[in-house]
Amino acid sequence: MKKVFFIAVLAVFGVTATQAQEVRLGAKGGVNFSSFSGDGFDAFDDPEGRTSFHIGAFAEIPLSERFSIQPEVLYSGQGFDLISREGADDTEVQLDYINVPVMAKVYIVEGLYAEAGPQIGFNVKSEIDTDPDDVDSGDVTIDEDVINDVDFSVGVGAGYQFNNGLFLNARYNFGLTDVFNNEDLLIDSDAKNSVFAVSAGYSF
């Protein structure tokens, strides 16, 4: 799995970088509001979105005055929450990924752009936290066979690039593949990742 991830990163950044003269590198981070979509999510009781974070780097490769390609590598906290019930603690399902999106960006007017593109994610953390507010509480690791290692999704979004290099961005990623490996579940679930992300960053 690690070999596949590094090959994907090298391919995305290496190949595209050779096709552009003015590659702009940068860093970004922000807040994730994640949940699941699909009928299989109904199998969970009272689900709510998980609020987490993402952070990473990108390379924007201009192909024309208004069009560019932007590959990224992001650490992304995803999953969902279960609301506490009487006599029970909150429960947070923590599914974290290394995501590699490749976004096509179109500048509508100066600074303002729309974007869309595919994303591949590699699951690096699968835990259930029965008390997210207590940093000393013990996390329960989910069996690695239950969560699919690779996640495919599509992202759409928009943003604004300031002249000083700062930018703001909002993006929604909707999953295309099942989060759970149904062969190892007692329930049939076609739940897919659903993430709304708000970012801020800087390009050099």
Side-chain angles (χ1 to χ4, degrees):
M1 180 56 60
K2 291 182 179 180
K3 291 182 179 179
V4 174
F5 166 66
F6 284 117
I7 290 173
V9 172
L10 289 174
V12 167
F13 280 92
V15 173
T16 51
T18 62
Q19 299 177 352
Q21 297 178 350
E22 297 180 359
V23 177
R24 293 192 291 268
L25 302 179
K28 63 183 294 187
V31 181
N32 283 351
F33 304 96
S34 67
S35 186
F36 287 165
S37 63
D39 295 336
F41 198 28
D42 296 338
F44 301 95
D45 228 3
D46 295 330
E48 282 197 343
R50 178 192 179 197
T51 302
S52 188
F53 73 95
H54 62 272
I55 188 169
F58 64 88
E60 182 175 1
I61 301 101
L63 301 181
S64 70
E65 184 178 349
R66 292 185 176 272
F67 181 73
S68 63
I69 299 295
Q70 181 167 300
E72 305 174 358
V73 177
L74 305 171
Y75 186 95
S76 179
Q78 299 172 201
F80 65 95
D81 290 345
L82 294 178
I83 306 174
S84 62
R85 299 165 184 79
E86 185 176 353
D89 293 327
D90 292 337
T91 299
E92 187 173 73
V93 178
Q94 302 172 344
L95 303 178
D96 293 359
Y97 293 82
I98 298 293
N99 288 330
V100 184
V102 180
M103 307 301 291
K105 300 175 64 175
V106 177
Y107 284 88
I108 302 169
V109 295
E110 184 178 358
L112 180 65
Y113 63 87
E115 62 179 10
Q119 173 179 281
I120 182 172
F122 302 90
N123 181 254
V124 293
K125 178 182 178 182
S126 304
E127 293 182 346
I128 297 176
D129 190 345
T130 56
D131 191 359
D133 295 329
D134 184 358
V135 295
D136 296 324
S137 66
D139 295 334
V140 178
T141 301
I142 301 174
D143 192 309
E144 61 181 10
D145 294 329
V146 171
I147 306 298
N148 285 319
D149 292 334
V150 180
D151 180 72
F152 293 97
S153 62
V154 172
V156 293
Y160 191 86
Q161 177 77 53
F162 297 94
N163 291 331
N164 60 3
L166 295 174
F167 67 87
L168 300 174
N169 177 265
R171 182 184 301 170
Y172 176 69
N173 282 289
F174 52 95
L176 302 177
T177 55
D178 293 344
V179 174
F180 298 104
N181 182 357
N182 292 328
E183 294 180 358
D184 292 287
L185 285 179
L186 298 178
I187 59 175
D188 184 19
S189 171
D190 65 349
K192 298 173 175 58
N193 279 306
S194 173
V195 183
F196 178 72
V198 179
S199 308
Y202 185 82
S203 60
F204 302 94

